[in-house]
Amino acid sequence: MQIPIHQIQIRPIQPSDNKVLAGIVRAALTEFGANKPGTVYYDKTTDALYELFQTEGAAYFVAEHNGEILGGGGIYPSNGLPQGTCELVKMYLSPQSRGIGLGKKLIQKCLQAAQQMGYTQVYIETMPELQQALKTYEKFGFQYLDGPLGNTGHFGCDRWMLRALSPEEKWEKE
């Protein structure tokens, strides 16, 4: 049974979310054959997302339904990015929460947060194995780049995208 999108709560990450979110991230990467070195699968910060997102200029949002965590996504001021640019990071959903518009809702929340924090661009590093995610990013206006920006350390990613944020941009109400 599909979960109605209007019944899903989007909230800031809490310390107790770490273990479940790390499991969702690694399970999704394994499911799509993207559990390879140089990705968040092996990144030690994946086990401590709450702590990671206490960094200034960062935010992470968790999708929850009836107390069950369905996934999450965030923005982060990754090393070496141009001024005014953050990265859309660790955007993963559990299988039962895909295909209902939750990814769209989380991305929108992240872009809105980035805009509110004063960022002017949002960057993504991803992989060809995550085809549905690539299509969703394209629908949001992310454009492909020829190479990486910054120095994230995720050498396993070979798709890079960038999207400008406009101060006039309006977002759907939650």
Side-chain angles (χ1 to χ4, degrees), residues 1-171:
M1 184 174 116
Q2 273 199 334
I3 301 166
I5 189 77
H6 69 277
Q7 292 181 6
I8 298 173
Q9 175 192 7
I10 306 289
R11 60 166 175 77
I13 192 169
Q14 301 169 359
S16 59
D17 299 331
N18 279 347
K19 186 174 181 177
V20 174
L21 287 168
I24 290 171
V25 169
R26 291 192 174 105
L29 288 169
T30 301
E31 177 185 348
F32 292 102
N35 53 336
K36 53 190 178 184
T39 68
V40 297
Y41 188 91
Y42 290 101
D43 190 332
K44 65 182 185 278
T45 65
T46 300
D47 294 304
L49 292 180
Y50 174 81
E51 292 77 10
L52 177 66
F53 284 91
Q54 298 313 298
T55 302
E56 187 175 336
Y60 195 87
F61 303 100
V62 175
E64 184 177 58
H65 178 256
N66 290 338
E68 179 185 0
I69 295 174
L70 304 173
I75 57 168
Y76 194 81
S78 299
N79 289 336
L81 290 178
Q83 181 72 29
T85 305
C86 66
E87 185 178 5
L88 181 67
V89 293
K90 297 185 176 52
M91 176 75 58
Y92 294 95
L93 301 174
S94 59
Q96 76 270 25
S97 63
R98 296 184 200 137
I100 60 171
L102 182 54
K104 176 184 173 190
K105 191 172 180 176
L106 276 168
I107 292 169
Q108 179 180 298
K109 181 77 172 171
C110 289
L111 294 178
Q112 183 178 24
Q115 181 189 47
Q116 290 169 346
M117 289 183 190
Y119 290 110
T120 57
Q121 299 184 109
V122 180
Y123 171 68
I124 296 173
E125 290 186 347
T126 189
M127 300 162 270
E129 293 88 346
L130 305 177
Q131 279 300 310
Q132 191 55 50
L134 289 169
K135 290 176 188 173
T136 301
Y137 300 146
E138 290 169 8
K139 288 179 185 174
F140 267 93
F142 282 89
Q143 303 291 314
Y144 287 96
L145 302 173
D146 292 331
L149 293 179
N151 181 23
T152 66
H154 294 143
F155 59 85
C157 296
D158 62 1
R159 297 292 185 277
W160 310 279
M161 303 175 90
L162 190 65
R163 181 192 193 279
L165 293 172
S166 164
E168 297 82 36
E169 205 159 358
K170 302 293 183 227
W171 304 99

